[in-house]
Amino acid sequence: PMHETVHAPRVCDIMDRHQVSITEDEEIRTAAKKLLKGETNHLTVLNLEGRLVGMVTTYDLSKAVANPGKVSLVREIMTRKVITTTPDEVVDVAAQKLEQYNISALPVIDKAGRVLGMLTALDLGKLFGRRWTR
Amino acid sequence: PMHETVHAPRVCDIMDRHQVSITEDEEIRTAAKKLLKGETNHLTVLNLEGRLVGMVTTYDLSKAVANPGKVSLVREIMTRKVITTTPDEVVDVAAQKLEQYNISALPVIDKAGRVLGMLTALDLGKLFGRRWTR
Ligand SMILES: C[S@@+](CC[C@H](N)C(=O)[O-])C[C@H]1O[C@@H](n2cnc3c(N)ncnc32)[C@H](O)[C@@H]1O
């Protein structure tokens, strides 16, 4: 029904605006420190123009731990085909992307490909947890 | 209202029954391989009786990557105070635990402390994504 569409929350309502980035030529060790410092599981990887070129998560760091000494740079472990969302996308569409691709975060990008924030499964969980308590 | 409580989904309705475990004396490298193989971010750590004694996540692996050579066993990086849920807990209560403790997964345990599965923020996201589409 029309009114559900109108009231459906959008990505900009719940996204985390404090995402952390790295560049692809930095060391995996630097990525690990940024992840720990930012208390996050996801970093966006940017090129020199500030455009999104990949994502590196704590999951990808497992590749470095599993194969010690074999990889050293972010671009050797990052994911290049990034699934993204936009600020005005309806939250349930973004949630379906997480489910479809079995991923836990979507970078939120503007039309120029710049990163505005991150939408995580945890942000969705928070929205869900508030549903019956408000 | 009464009927909302009655129909509220429970943890057993959406939990992932295929969780992966490790013991605390195994190597961090083994944990990394299990995480990659299971395509998961979370391992439960069990003692010799099969009881839950900790959790190790890809986030904890970042500690090993950030400080190479300093840690080698699961018990050096695992979290010991594990926040858990039970199969019959209402999903929104579990979602509130994730929010309150800023964590992304809860082991689902029975009364004897054995692990039955895992509830992740991703599972909640899936439930959320289905809300308007069913
Ligand atoms: C397939 S998931 C498996 C673990 C877990 N389900 C999770 O969501 O993190 C892990 C992989 O997804 C990748 N990934 C995470 N977010 C992504 C996104 N928005 N687009 C593409 N790949 C992504 C990570 O780089 C990592 O290699």
Side-chain angles (χ1 to χ4, degrees), chain A residues 55 57 59-60 79 81-83 102-105 107, chain B residues 39 41 122:
Chain A
M55 237 171 112
T57 68
Y59 180 84
D60 299 313
T79 300
K81 281 202 176 171
V82 184
I83 316 296
N102 189 34
I103 51 180
S104 53
Chain B
E39 291 195 21
N41 285 312
L122 197 54

Side-chain angles (χ1 to χ4, degrees), chain A residues 4 9 29 36 39 58-59 61-62 65-66 91-92 96 99 102-103 122 127-133, chain B residues 4 29 36 39 41 58-59 61-62 65-66 91-92 96 99 102-103 122 127-133:
Chain A
E4 278 192 355
R29 188 175 167 176
L36 290 169
E39 293 194 19
T58 55
Y59 180 84
L61 289 187
S62 307
V65 178
V91 167
D92 57 320
Q96 286 165 44
E99 172 166 13
N102 189 34
I103 51 180
L122 200 52
L127 190 62
F128 190 87
R130 277 182 219 127
R131 202 147 65 102
W132 281 293
T133 51
Chain B
E4 279 191 355
R29 186 174 168 179
L36 290 169
E39 291 195 21
N41 285 312
T58 54
Y59 183 82
L61 286 188
S62 308
V65 179
V91 166
D92 57 319
Q96 285 165 45
E99 172 165 16
N102 192 34
I103 51 180
L122 197 54
L127 189 63
F128 190 87
R130 277 182 219 128
R131 202 149 65 103
W132 280 293
T133 49

